[in-house]
Amino acid sequence: MAYSRRTPRQMQAATDSVAVAPASPAPARAKTMRSPRTGMMRQYDLVERVRSYNPDTNEDLLNRAYVYAMKAHGTQTRASGDPYFSHPLEVAAILTDLKLDDATIVAALLHDTIEDTEATRAEIDHIFGHEIGALVEGLTKLKRLELVSREAKQAENLRKLLLAIADDVRVLLIKLADRLHNMRTLEFVPPASRRRIAEETLDIYAPLAGRMGMQEMREELEDLAFHTLDPEAHAVVMQQLDALTDRNRNLIGEIESQLSRNLQNNGMAAHVSGRRKKPFSIWTKMERKSIGFEQLSDIFGFRIVLDSVEACYRALGVVHTTWPVVPGRFKDYISTPKQNDYRSIHTTVIGPGNQRVELQIRTEEMDRIAEFGIAAHAFYKDNVGSPTERLKRESNAFAWLRRTIGILSESANPEEFLEHTKLELFHDQVFCFTPKGKLIALPRKANVIDFAYAVHTDVGNSAVGCKINGKFAPLSSELQNGDEVEVLTSKAQAAPPSAWEALAVTGKARAAIRRATRTAVRDQYAGLGRRIVERLFIRAKIEYADDKLKGALPRLARSSIEDVMASVGRGEIKASDVARAMYPDYKEERIGRFGAKKNLATKLKSPPDAARSTSAIPIRGINSDLPVKFAPNGGAVPGDRIVGIVSPGEGITIYPIQSPALKDFEEEPERWLDVRWDVDDTTPQRFPARIRVDNVNEPGSLAQIATVIAEHDGNIDNIHMSRQSPDFTELTIDLEVYDLKHLSAIIAQLRAKAVVARVERVNG
Ligand code: MN
C-alpha cells in the first residue's frame, strides 16, 4: 500500500478504523492528528485550532511566532520541495491535537530556528520570553545530540538523554511531534537515511511515546516505521487484516449493536467503538509467539466509553449477564489503576458467533488519558472549573509526571512495560557537550574536572579554568544536563593540584589525577635526589657524571637516571649506594642520622645492628636509611594490605590499609609508599595487633579471655581496662600474633565465649 504525505487519510483508512459506525457521536477526542492537509496551513487556521480548546490563548503571541519562524526559515525547503516552514507548522498542528498550552505551540513553531537559521536564544528570549526560549533551546540540544549520536553511534546515550533532559516534559512532547511529522513525510528522504530514521523511531521514539502514556502517538510511529523497514511484511499483515475485517464485517456490526442496545435498554448512554490491532503490534505478536495470523484471537477489541465510574460498573454487569465470561481475563484497573494512571476495566466474553470479544470499559476522562497520556494529563488546558480546581488539577498533573518518571526509572517493572524494555531512564547521569558538539556522559554530580578528564587526560591535567554555556565558572561546578563546557588549559600547569582528587567524582579523573600527581611528585623527588647525590659526590671529592651513572644502572636495578634520582629522593636507595655502583671502591662515611632507629630495633627484639634495622620489619619496597615502625595504635600483621607513610625526620610508618588514621594523609599522596610483606609461613616473627573486647563483668571472665589467647599461642603485651557500665568492661588488648589468620582465629575463639559480648580489631 502506498501512502503519501498528502493523503494520510488513506493510510488511516487502511490501518486504523474498523468498519463500524459509531452508535453515538464520537467523544470530543482529537482526530485531527492525522487529518490530511492540502497545502500549508494558514496562520488563521493555527490560531483557530488553539482557540477551539483554549479560549484564553494569546493570539498575538501565536501570530508573532508564526511570522518569526516563517521569516527565519525564509526560502529553505524540505526534501519534498515544500517550504521548510511547513514542517514546524505541522508540528505545531499535531500539538494542538494534544491541546497543549501556548508556550508549547509557539516553541513548536520555533523549534528548528536556533539550529537551522540565524535566530539565537537571546533573540527568542527577548521576543517570546524565557519560558519559550528554554523550550526551544531544549529542542536545539536534542537535535544537536541526534546529529552527534548519528556519527558516533551513541544512540544509547541519546536514549538516555531524551529522558534525562525531561525536566520540562513539553520538550519531549514537541520532539515526539517533530518526529511524527518527519515520519509522515519520510518518503522524500533518501532510502539510506530513511531506514536509519525508521529504526531510530522504533528503538527510541515509539517506546518513549508509549512510556509517556501516549498510545496513539506510539502506534502511529510504530506503523510508519514498520512500513519503512519491512514493506513486504507490512503489506501482508495489512492484506490479512483487511480480509479478516471483510469476513467479520457483519459480526463486528452485530457485536457493536448488541452492546449498544443492551446498554441503552439499561438506561446507559454509552459510546461503543470497535477497534482492530495495528499492523505493527500484530506483527510483533506473530514474531514473538511464532504464530500465524489465523491463530491471533484478539485482533478486534471493543471499547465502551461512559460518563461515570458508576456507569462503568453497571455496564460491566450488563456485559457479564449477557454473554459468558472468559475466565482469567477480567482486570479492574479502575479500582486499582496502573502505575502510569491508566484506568479501565478489561474483560473478555464469548460473544455472538462464539467469538471471543475483548472489551475495555472506561469513562471519557480515562479514555483521554489512555490515548494521550502525559499530554492529556499534564497540560490539558480547558479552563474548566474555578482557579482552585485548575490549580489542583495542575498539581495532580505534576504528581502524575513525577510518578511517570519514577516508573520510567525503574528498570524492572515487567507488567507495565514488558513491551518497551529498550528504554530506560538514567537519572543518575548528566550529558554535556564539548564546544564542538561531542557528547560526554558523566555520572550525576560530576563537575568540570571530571568533564575535562573525560575529554582527554591531557585536557584534565592542564585545565586551569572553564566556561559553562559561554560563562566563566569554577572547575568544581556541578554540571547540568545539556551544558556546553569549554575547558581552558595552560601548558604552564605541569600537573593538576592534588586536591582535585578529592573533588573529582569519576574514577577515571581520580586515577588520572593520582597518576599525574605521582609523576609530578616523582619529578620533585628526582630533583631532590640529584641534589643529595651531587652533595655526596662533592663531599667525597669524586666526580659525578650522568654517563657514568648510566653504566651503573643495572647494578642499581633502575632503568633510568631519573629513576635512580627519584629513588634517592624518596629514600629508597642511599646516595652512597649510587656512589658505590659507579665506583666500586667507594667507602661510605658512617654518619648516624636517626637516633630513633636503635630504639625501634630494640623494641622489636631484633638484633641491634643498625645496618640491619630495616629488616627487623620484613617489608619490601623500602631500601633506605629511614627507620620503619608500625602504626602506634594497633599495628599491622602479615595478611593485612599495608602502606608506608613517610614522615620527614621520623621515618616510615606501616599502616594497614583499613586504618582510619590514613585519612590524615590523603592530601599528601607523595608520602605514600607502596610496600609489601616479606614473610612466608615459616617466618617465626610476631607482629603487633590490637583488639577491643567487651566482656561481661563476672568473676573469672578476664582469666577466661587470657586463657583463650594463651591457648591459641597469642602473646599478650598489654591490657587496658575501662568499665563502660555496671555490667560490662571494655578491654583493649595489645597482642603479638604471627599473621592475620592467627589473629582472626583468636578473635573467633573469643567470640565463642559466653562472657564475651563483642570483639573487634582496632586498626591503628
Ligand atoms: Mn524539526
Side-chain angles (χ1 to χ4, degrees):
M1 180 209 65
Y3 67 88
S4 78
R5 188 183 66 89
R6 292 187 187 276
T7 57
R9 178 162 283 169
Q10 283 177 1
M11 183 189 68
Q12 182 182 0
T15 60
D16 280 347
S17 56
V18 174
V20 176
S24 59
R29 190 196 301 169
K31 280 292 170 205
T32 41
M33 191 190 278
R34 294 145 196 230
S35 73
R37 309 206 196 298
T38 50
M40 207 155 83
M41 201 185 350
R42 305 262 177 80
Q43 192 168 346
Y44 176 79
D45 296 330
L46 182 73
V47 174
E48 264 314 293
R49 278 165 166 270
V50 178
R51 205 164 39 199
S52 72
Y53 63 86
N54 179 9
D56 293 341
T57 180
N58 184 342
E59 288 182 30
D60 176 53
L61 182 73
L62 291 174
N63 285 326
R64 272 188 291 139
Y66 186 102
V67 172
Y68 181 89
M70 187 168 63
K71 280 190 179 153
H73 287 292
T75 55
Q76 291 172 353
T77 53
R78 305 200 83 209
S80 60
D82 285 343
Y84 192 91
F85 178 58
S86 64
H87 164 67
L89 195 51
E90 292 295 331
V91 173
I94 289 169
L95 293 164
T96 62
D97 290 335
L98 297 172
K99 303 187 178 181
L100 293 173
D101 63 350
D102 286 351
T104 309
I105 306 298
V106 168
L109 287 170
L110 304 176
H111 82 269
D112 281 330
T113 55
I114 292 184
E115 186 68 9
D116 296 342
T117 78
E118 301 288 304
T120 63
R121 164 81 199 269
E123 194 177 68
I124 290 174
D125 271 7
H126 180 67
I127 303 176
F128 301 101
H130 179 78
E131 182 189 7
I132 288 167
L135 290 174
V136 178
E137 175 144 316
L139 285 149
T140 307
K141 280 176 182 165
L142 283 182
K143 182 158 182 178
R144 212 175 290 165
L145 178 69
E146 248 181 2
L147 296 173
V148 173
S149 68
R150 203 162 291 164
E151 284 163 29
K153 299 206 190 317
Q154 287 176 315
E156 183 67 22
N157 282 329
L158 169 59
R159 196 174 298 151
K160 294 171 187 174
L161 178 84
L162 276 171
L163 285 163
I165 215 164
D167 32 338
D168 196 324
V169 78
R170 292 176 297 182
V171 170
L172 292 181
L173 294 173
I174 299 168
K175 186 70 209 170
L176 286 172
D178 178 41
R179 175 52 60 122
L180 180 59
H181 184 247
N182 286 334
M183 285 302 293
R184 285 179 182 172
T185 54
L186 199 57
E187 62 183 308
F188 300 104
V189 169
S193 349
R194 207 183 295 166
R195 195 168 177 83
R196 178 187 51 71
I197 294 170
E199 273 167 2
E200 203 176 69
T201 299
L202 216 47
D203 282 351
I204 298 166
Y205 294 97
L208 178 62
R211 284 205 163 188
M212 290 170 73
M214 306 165 74
Q215 303 312 331
E216 196 166 317
M217 173 85 80
R218 191 201 83 211
E219 286 174 345
E220 189 178 353
L221 286 171
E222 281 175 350
D223 277 333
L224 291 168
F226 177 36
H227 182 263
T228 304
L229 291 172
D230 197 344
E232 275 174 46
H234 189 269
V236 169
V237 173
M238 284 305 302
Q239 269 167 22
Q240 305 245 36
L241 256 182
D242 287 345
L244 191 73
T245 309
D246 272 350
R247 273 203 304 282
N248 290 301
R249 198 171 289 277
N250 292 336
L251 195 61
I252 294 164
E254 169 92 348
I255 294 169
E256 191 274 331
S257 66
Q258 275 200 33
L259 272 172
S260 294
R261 209 168 41 243
N262 277 340
L263 293 170
Q264 226 159 20
N265 291 344
N266 285 274
M268 272 174 278
H271 170 70
V272 180
S273 58
R275 190 175 176 282
R276 70 181 195 189
K277 274 228 162 61
K278 295 292 184 291
F280 180 73
S281 68
I282 291 173
W283 178 247
T284 323
K285 203 161 192 177
M286 286 165 68
E287 277 192 327
R288 202 168 55 217
K289 299 192 173 168
S290 345
I291 50 175
F293 190 84
E294 300 72 26
Q295 292 159 275
L296 292 172
S297 58
D298 54 355
I299 285 168
F300 297 103
F302 290 82
R303 187 171 297 164
I304 306 172
V305 178
L306 302 111
D307 54 10
S308 71
V309 171
E310 193 236 328
C312 290
Y313 286 102
R314 279 201 292 143
L316 177 70
V318 170
V319 167
H320 278 188
T321 49
T322 310
W323 293 293
V325 181
V326 177
R329 301 282 306 218
F330 172 73
K331 288 203 178 85
D332 183 358
Y333 294 120
I334 290 183
S335 67
T336 318
K338 286 194 188 185
Q339 270 181 298
N340 64 1
D341 232 21
Y342 174 86
R343 298 204 294 162
S344 195
I345 292 170
H346 291 188
T347 189
T348 304
V349 295
I350 310 286
N354 263 340
Q355 276 287 314
R356 282 157 69 110
V357 180
E358 285 196 344
L359 293 163
Q360 297 172 327
I361 305 172
R362 49 171 84 148
T363 65
E364 275 181 38
E365 167 81 4
M366 294 171 194
D367 195 39
R368 198 161 52 79
I369 290 168
E371 290 299 301
F372 298 123
I374 205 164
H377 213 113
F379 301 103
Y380 184 67
K381 301 274 169 147
D382 52 8
N383 293 295
V384 174
S386 68
T388 328
E389 281 169 336
R390 268 187 270 168
L391 200 67
K392 188 167 167 255
R393 205 162 49 226
E394 219 154 89
S395 75
N396 282 342
F398 281 103
W400 189 87
L401 174 57
R402 271 201 303 280
R403 215 163 46 236
T404 307
I405 290 186
I407 298 165
L408 293 176
S409 59
E410 282 170 28
S411 51
N413 195 342
E415 214 210 330
E416 300 297 324
F417 293 117
L418 194 64
E419 304 171 58
H420 315 307
T421 48
K422 278 193 169 171
L423 201 68
E424 277 164 29
L425 184 67
F426 287 81
H427 260 308
D428 54 344
Q429 282 186 277
V430 288
F431 300 86
C432 304
F433 301 95
T434 66
K436 284 183 185 157
K438 185 172 184 248
L439 174 74
I440 306 286
L442 294 163
R444 278 240 173 243
K445 306 234 179 268
N447 55 43
V448 183
I449 296 172
D450 298 296
F451 181 92
Y453 279 100
V455 172
H456 197 281
T457 307
D458 292 343
V459 175
N461 285 340
S462 57
V464 290
C466 72
K467 285 182 180 177
I468 300 177
N469 302 322
K471 287 198 185 105
F472 283 104
L475 286 166
S476 57
S477 309
E478 190 178 315
L479 292 168
Q480 306 297 322
N481 262 316
D483 277 348
E484 185 182 295
V485 184
E486 183 184 352
V487 180
L488 309 170
T489 59
S490 163
K491 286 204 177 103
Q493 174 164 292
S498 58
W500 281 9
E501 199 190 322
L503 289 176
V505 170
T506 54
K508 181 179 178 186
R510 295 168 82 103
I513 294 163
R514 204 174 308 141
R515 250 192 331 270
T517 317
R518 276 211 189 125
T519 311
V521 168
R522 183 179 169 278
D523 291 346
Q524 284 171 19
Y525 274 124
L528 178 67
R530 186 173 281 274
R531 282 203 298 281
I532 295 172
V533 169
E534 281 171 0
R535 277 225 305 274
L536 178 129
F537 275 64
I538 289 166
R539 212 169 51 216
K541 300 189 173 62
I542 47 177
E543 191 200 339
Y544 173 81
D546 275 357
D547 280 351
K548 182 101 179 146
L549 177 53
K550 219 173 244 169
L553 286 177
R555 248 164 287 158
L556 290 161
R558 293 295 189 279
S559 56
S560 68
I561 293 175
E562 280 287 287
D563 247 8
V564 172
M565 295 307 182
S567 299
V568 173
R570 263 196 299 267
E572 289 166 8
I573 50 179
K574 293 181 279 187
S576 55
D577 293 337
V578 177
R580 211 169 13 252
M582 289 163 73
Y583 300 96
D585 295 342
Y586 170 75
K587 283 266 188 301
E588 187 184 355
E589 299 173 58
R590 290 256 162 189
I591 306 164
R593 279 158 65 208
F594 295 99
K597 193 154 61 178
K598 201 173 165 208
N599 290 345
L600 184 86
T602 316
K603 221 187 208 164
L604 286 163
K605 296 168 190 143
S606 56
D609 174 4
R612 286 174 44 98
S613 72
T614 54
S615 66
I617 292 183
I619 281 169
R620 275 186 238 169
I622 300 168
N623 179 14
S624 79
D625 299 329
L626 301 179
V628 179
K629 62 179 179 181
F630 283 115
N633 305 310
V637 302
D640 284 331
R641 281 187 53 215
I642 47 175
V643 289
I645 296 292
V646 184
S647 298
E650 282 178 38
I652 296 161
T653 310
I654 305 298
Y655 288 86
I657 198 84
Q658 71 271 21
S659 167
L662 286 172
K663 265 217 138 28
D664 298 343
F665 308 110
E666 266 178 4
E667 299 292 312
E668 302 166 281
E670 67 280 1
R671 292 179 62 186
W672 293 54
L673 274 184
D674 268 336
V675 292
R676 272 167 300 137
W677 292 100
D678 191 9
V679 292
D680 57 38
D681 288 348
T682 62
T683 306
Q685 201 173 336
R686 287 172 182 270
F687 300 87
R690 180 175 287 180
I691 56 176
R692 191 165 293 144
V693 182
D694 285 350
N695 80 304
V696 180
N697 287 335
E698 64 178 55
S701 64
L702 185 57
Q704 285 189 48
I705 289 165
T707 307
V708 169
I709 295 173
E711 273 175 358
H712 291 87
D713 198 18
N715 281 353
I716 298 178
D717 261 1
N718 188 23
I719 296 185
H720 176 82
M721 282 194 278
S722 77
R723 181 159 289 202
Q724 298 296 311
S725 70
D727 322 340
F728 285 95
T729 300
E730 185 187 274
L731 304 174
T732 304
I733 305 175
D734 286 324
L735 292 171
E736 284 185 342
V737 296
Y738 292 112
D739 56 18
L740 190 57
K741 228 156 80 185
H742 187 199
L743 178 62
S744 306
I746 291 173
I747 290 175
Q749 292 299 330
L750 286 171
R751 284 188 177 139
K753 284 283 165 191
V755 294
V756 172
R758 204 165 63 104
V759 188
E760 261 179 7
R761 180 168 176 201
V762 180
N763 290 304

